Amino acid sequence: MARNFNPQILLCLMLIVISAFGCAEDERQSAAVSDDVYNEWVVPLRQSMASAESAGGGGEVVQLDPTGWATITGRFVYDAPSAPVGVAFSTTSDPVCGAFNIRDESLMVNANGMGLANVFVYLRTRGFGDPHESYVPGQEIVLANNGCRFEPHALAIWMENKIKVTNEDPTGHNTNCTAPGDPKGSFNESIPAGAFIVKEFGRSQPRPNEVKCSIHPWMSAKVLPRENPYFATTDADGNFRIENVPAGIELEFQVLHELSGNLNADASWNNGRFKVTLQNDETHDMGVISVGPALFGR
Amino acid sequence: MFPHSNPRTTRQATLLCCLALATIFTGCGSSDGVEFVLNTEGVPSFETQLAQQSEILASQAESNADINVDERLDEFSDSYFRKTDELAAALEALFGTPDDPARPPQTGLDIDLIRRAAGPTGGADVEPLLDEDGNVIAPGYHLGGLYREHCVHCHGMTGDGAGPTALFLNPYPRDYRQGTFKFTSTQSKEKPTDEDLRRTIENGLHGTLMPAFRVALTADEISALIEYVKYFAMRGEVELFLRAELFESGETLFFEDGTFNGELINTNVELVASLWSNVTVVQPVPRPGGKSWEELTAAEKQESLEIGERLFRNEGQCIKCHGPAGLGDGGQLNYDDWNTQKALVEDEAERAEMWLLPLQELKARNLQLGVFRGGRRPIDIYRRIRNGITGTPMPAANVGGSPIPDPLNPGQMIEPMEEEQIWHIVDYVLSLQYQRGFRTPSPEMNAPNGR
């Protein structure tokens, strides 16, 4: 074999190695476009920008006329032999927090019945008149710093309401909320023991805002501000229930979870969405919606 | 081992060889070239996404015979590459390229200033664009090349803070593409003003490798660079919003029939532009008693420092991060916004696949050093404390509000900190540099609850 060895191949291998090395660290994806894409897409969009300088965004929302109200419920269940247990955090940097046993809450499954908590279900469809009278604006919805964790971990909030971040612990916290495109809803403020802050959101978000405490970096919550009150998060048993949603028109719901993003619980769902039209006064039970670990990267 | 006489293998080897050679001569990938790169920070590679997708589909196919896994995976790949093209096309239409910058009119950005900063080092003339009859369609212009001369080796061609020098710096140069800036005079988490950016570029950021350009550049040149930094930030944030529209919300920017989703694109551009035009500059309240530090008597100075120290330890919560003596040893591991997500990914190889630069920790500042990145004037320190430092863990102070029950002493109330009291903390912070080696605060001052 050695006799037949082809030096060309050696040279070649060397070149491959050199070229691979030179590029290994850099996997940047070019933003340059091909000539076809340039001519078909870039040129017309650029021209329209130049001509229609004042083309307003936002878009008109078509007004929809519900015939009445209905309720939608269901239960998310984690389809695995056993419930995952979040890793325990080291919390000893603060003597107060060190007393609590705090675990990662990004995937909360109730071992008793396998219910999946903290799934967001919200109505995407826009353009109804006033919401049902059971929804009262102007309230303060509490996100508590309690036991060196946020309670609740997943919170959806109607933008007509405010968020009150409290601190029930005998130690100081700070609450750092990142709300993309929403300076009003983005804040990082210190909250001494016993104190609270009240904030409003200025933008309905498609995905929950990230909320952290920098003093206790393990603390994390997901807060989803919405322009209408038709949403729910699943409870510890995986149940959700949205009452008094508009009936008689096709509704599109969005389902999300912090680990999966859009939750395609059913192969027929796209982008974590399903459509349904409810009858007046109907209680529509979606039954058990089973979701496998693969959706959560487990 | 070496199948030496298989002609097919030899042909393959030769092909690989040519490819390797080509790579060496053309430089690696695209980033060496004069072009923008897409922001894929925190995004798993296509291969990883495909593998995840295939796992999900396989598990769903077990219970649902209608699912054709191969077909669905093909759909996934097609859609991934189409969306990537759509994103790149929209960005190029809106913002152009490094040598041919553009900007949507809604941004309010000044194209002449941008052109002065963009382009190759030393500058370049761009010829006018003529039609067949020699009429000017687009006039020629000059590119000034300031950014590539002074900033690109740290802040990168795309403003991604990952130029060739970046890897060796701590903190890393700013990645402008999230539109997040630390040293601002505006409300917590708002965009900086032009004046804020000017101060950064003129004075540099002390204690970091960000140089001062006051001497190297004229005021006009700095104006051009300010505009270009804002251009990167707006372009970057529009990119992030459009990426989410495409890849997370499943929207389409360019339709099959050759039209485009102008409304969606416009909405996002206007949103980003509004973030820059609607900012509130925080005007500091007057000092307590209206006297500047220099005007205070020795006793008044002493009193201000004592109040400042108490607030630093208690109501202000500063010791939580900066430690009891301000040494920056408050305890917990922290990261800035550019590193927080990285820190959640434990596997180093996975991190390297998803981010350009390795994980970097951010310590609370050692205040005894007396080195302040955002400036050492009392007003600078006031703003850091009042507004927090955007993009970092450092929070805005909690001021105003009503008295709250003291959780440690039932029946007693705690008075909240007043805004003017921030000046006492400023005095205290500025005094710490004269107390080097000061480590053990008096026990009664070291309240365990850090209120």
Side-chain angles (χ1 to χ4, degrees):
Chain A
M1 188 177 151
R3 238 183 308 130
N4 293 334
F5 183 75
N6 183 348
Q8 253 179 309
I9 292 188
L10 185 68
L11 180 73
C12 193
L13 272 177
M14 272 168 58
L15 282 174
I16 293 173
V17 169
I18 296 174
S19 72
F21 252 100
C23 300
E25 59 166 80
D26 223 317
E27 304 219 341
R28 301 179 202 204
Q29 205 173 0
S30 168
V33 299
S34 69
D35 288 349
D36 282 352
V37 168
Y38 185 81
N39 293 323
E40 279 171 40
W41 288 349
V42 175
V43 171
L45 178 54
R46 175 80 67 90
Q47 277 167 355
S48 104
M49 269 168 46
S51 58
E53 297 222 345
S54 60
E60 289 295 296
V61 178
V62 187
Q63 282 302 314
L64 301 168
D65 278 321
T67 56
W69 309 99
T71 295
I72 183 166
T73 74
R75 177 161 188 258
F76 283 88
V77 161
Y78 191 73
D79 183 16
S82 65
V85 180
V87 293
F89 291 120
S90 161
T91 57
T92 47
S93 61
D94 185 321
V96 170
C97 302
F100 301 110
N101 175 8
I102 299 171
R103 293 184 175 275
D104 175 20
E105 295 178 59
S106 60
L107 185 60
M108 295 297 281
V109 178
N110 192 340
N112 184 6
M114 301 300 280
L116 174 65
N118 301 333
V119 176
F120 288 92
V121 182
Y122 71 79
L123 183 59
R124 272 193 92 228
T125 319
R126 309 169 59 192
F128 314 103
D130 291 337
H132 187 273
E133 65 206 23
S134 59
Y135 294 106
V136 187
Q139 301 185 78
E140 288 179 352
I141 309 296
V142 172
L143 176 69
N145 286 273
N146 192 339
C148 295
R149 55 179 287 281
F150 287 109
E151 176 56 40
H153 176 75
L155 175 68
I157 180 168
W158 183 26
M159 284 169 61
E160 296 296 317
N161 289 330
K162 295 178 179 172
I163 186 168
K164 178 177 181 178
V165 190
T166 63
N167 180 359
E168 333 244 306
D169 288 330
T171 185
H173 288 289
N174 73 298
T175 299
N176 185 349
C177 177
T178 306
D182 178 9
K184 218 163 140 193
S186 293
F187 52 90
N188 178 10
E189 214 167 296
S190 140
I191 312 184
F196 62 86
I197 56 174
V198 177
K199 296 279 172 184
E200 283 174 71
F201 291 102
R203 183 165 188 252
S204 185
Q205 298 283 353
R207 286 162 288 279
N209 297 328
E210 200 73 50
V211 179
K212 304 280 295 170
C213 169
S214 330
I215 297 176
H216 310 112
W218 62 84
M219 291 177 64
S220 147
K222 311 285 154 182
V223 175
L224 177 72
R226 293 294 306 164
E227 66 196 307
N228 66 47
Y230 308 117
F231 49 69
T233 52
T234 56
D235 64 14
D237 292 323
N239 295 305
F240 74 92
R241 181 181 181 89
I242 314 176
E243 292 184 353
N244 297 321
V245 294
I249 38 183
E250 188 179 58
L251 304 178
E252 187 175 41
F253 285 92
Q254 172 79 51
V255 183
L256 295 165
H257 181 275
E258 67 175 278
L259 281 191
S260 66
N262 300 334
L263 187 57
N264 285 323
D266 189 285
S268 71
W269 295 8
N270 223 333
N271 301 313
R273 293 169 196 168
F274 67 87
K275 288 186 174 154
V276 63
T277 306
L278 306 174
Q279 305 308 311
N280 290 1
D281 303 321
E282 172 192 2
T283 295
H284 179 78
D285 188 354
M286 298 182 67
V288 168
I289 305 159
S290 185
V291 286
L295 285 165
F296 306 91
R298 298 295 169 102
Chain B
M1 256 170 86
F2 266 125
H4 44 266
S5 57
N6 180 338
R8 209 171 128 241
T9 326
T10 317
R11 224 182 308 128
Q12 279 179 350
T14 318
L15 189 72
L16 261 178
C17 200
C18 292
L19 272 176
L21 263 177
T23 320
I24 289 172
F25 286 121
T26 55
C28 290
S30 48
S31 56
D32 293 2
V34 178
E35 61 184 31
F36 289 143
V37 291
L38 290 177
N39 184 351
T40 53
E41 293 289 277
V43 180
S45 71
F46 169 68
E47 289 73 22
T48 306
Q49 291 188 39
L50 192 68
Q52 276 167 358
Q53 207 58 30
S54 115
E55 214 173 298
I56 292 173
L57 286 166
S59 78
Q60 287 181 337
E62 280 172 23
S63 56
N64 184 342
D66 291 343
I67 300 178
N68 181 334
V69 175
D70 289 340
E71 205 177 283
R72 297 279 286 257
L73 283 180
D74 283 348
E75 277 169 30
F76 174 81
S77 314
D78 289 350
S79 132
Y80 174 91
F81 289 110
R82 186 186 161 92
K83 282 173 188 295
T84 305
D85 278 348
E86 287 186 54
L87 181 59
L91 285 171
E92 182 156 340
L94 296 169
F95 293 96
T97 60
D99 283 345
D100 178 18
R103 59 42 183 139
Q106 304 98 302
T107 57
L109 289 168
D110 181 333
I111 190 69
D112 295 330
L113 287 176
I114 291 173
R115 283 174 177 162
R116 197 159 173 200
T121 309
D125 283 316
V126 177
E127 299 295 321
L129 200 64
L130 306 177
D131 67 11
E132 286 153 8
D133 304 329
N135 301 318
V136 177
I137 308 174
Y141 56 88
H142 183 72
L143 291 166
L146 291 171
Y147 181 80
R148 257 175 261 174
E149 185 174 345
H150 299 284
C151 324
V152 80
H153 69 92
C154 285
H155 289 282
M157 188 67 80
T158 315
D160 57 11
T165 314
L167 190 61
F168 311 101
L169 306 187
N170 188 343
Y172 293 135
R174 181 73 62 257
D175 177 351
Y176 303 127
R177 299 171 303 172
Q178 299 75 15
T180 304
F181 293 85
K182 289 184 183 176
F183 304 108
T184 59
S185 59
T186 49
Q187 290 280 10
S188 172
K189 297 218 176 188
E190 282 185 351
K191 304 298 176 203
T193 63
D194 286 10
E195 271 319 300
D196 293 334
L197 294 174
R198 182 175 297 276
R199 211 175 318 112
T200 295
I201 299 168
E202 280 185 353
N203 300 347
L205 299 172
H206 293 234
T208 83
L209 266 293
M210 167 71 198
F213 290 95
R214 184 192 287 283
V215 177
L217 297 169
T218 65
D220 285 353
E221 287 171 330
I222 292 179
S223 299
L225 288 161
I226 292 170
E227 205 72 354
Y228 204 43
V229 166
K230 288 164 66 179
Y231 161 91
F232 280 130
M234 292 196 201
R235 181 187 176 282
E237 229 176 334
V238 166
E239 175 177 7
L240 289 176
F241 280 116
L242 291 182
R243 173 176 283 278
E245 297 280 14
L246 284 161
F247 288 91
E248 294 182 67
S249 299
E251 299 287 352
T252 301
L253 299 185
F254 296 92
F255 301 114
E256 296 290 349
D257 66 1
T259 60
F260 49 84
N261 199 340
E263 189 181 299
L264 185 72
I265 294 172
N266 247 315
T267 308
N268 283 287
V269 171
E270 278 173 11
L271 171 65
V272 170
S274 74
L275 300 176
W276 284 85
S277 52
N278 302 332
V279 295
T280 312
V281 174
V282 174
Q283 298 302 344
V285 298
R287 288 182 59 105
K291 285 202 241 169
S292 71
W293 172 257
E294 288 74 20
E295 288 163 355
L296 299 182
T297 64
E300 285 168 335
K301 284 182 177 169
Q302 189 54 35
E303 191 196 346
S304 179
L305 292 180
E306 273 165 20
I307 301 174
E309 179 168 12
R310 177 172 57 75
L311 295 169
F312 188 87
R313 291 179 197 294
N314 296 291
E315 290 88 335
Q317 308 206 105
C318 316
I319 67 167
K320 292 264 175 189
C321 299
H322 291 280
L327 288 165
D329 54 357
Q332 60 291 107
L333 206 55
N334 257 316
Y335 305 95
D336 62 21
D337 283 9
W338 296 268
N339 286 276
T340 320
Q341 290 303 112
K342 285 183 213 174
L344 300 177
V345 175
E346 261 162 44
D347 184 61
E348 217 165 306
E350 209 178 311
R351 266 197 323 243
E353 180 194 301
M354 283 159 59
W355 282 278
L356 294 174
L357 297 167
L359 179 64
Q360 194 169 69
E361 190 188 314
L362 176 69
K363 289 208 172 66
R365 191 65 33 76
N366 176 350
L367 300 172
Q368 289 195 19
L369 295 179
V371 176
F372 301 104
R373 293 182 186 175
R376 48 164 301 110
R377 298 171 304 169
I379 174 95
D380 297 324
I381 310 295
Y382 177 94
R383 287 195 164 123
R384 300 296 91 79
I385 299 172
R386 168 68 178 73
N387 306 341
I389 303 180
T390 302
T392 82
M394 163 108 177
N398 186 294
V399 285
S402 39
I404 47 171
D406 186 340
L408 292 188
N409 301 303
Q412 294 197 21
M413 302 297 276
I414 304 173
E415 290 297 325
M417 187 158 84
E418 291 304 329
E419 192 156 349
E420 64 170 22
Q421 290 185 299
I422 289 176
W423 286 114
H424 296 302
I425 312 185
V426 172
D427 292 344
Y428 177 67
V429 164
L430 284 172
S431 77
L432 277 170
Q433 56 192 298
Y434 306 110
Q435 307 190 13
R436 291 233 184 155
F438 158 73
R439 276 167 193 280
T440 38
S442 54
E444 71 274 15
M445 291 298 252
N446 196 8
N449 64 341
R451 273 197 316 256

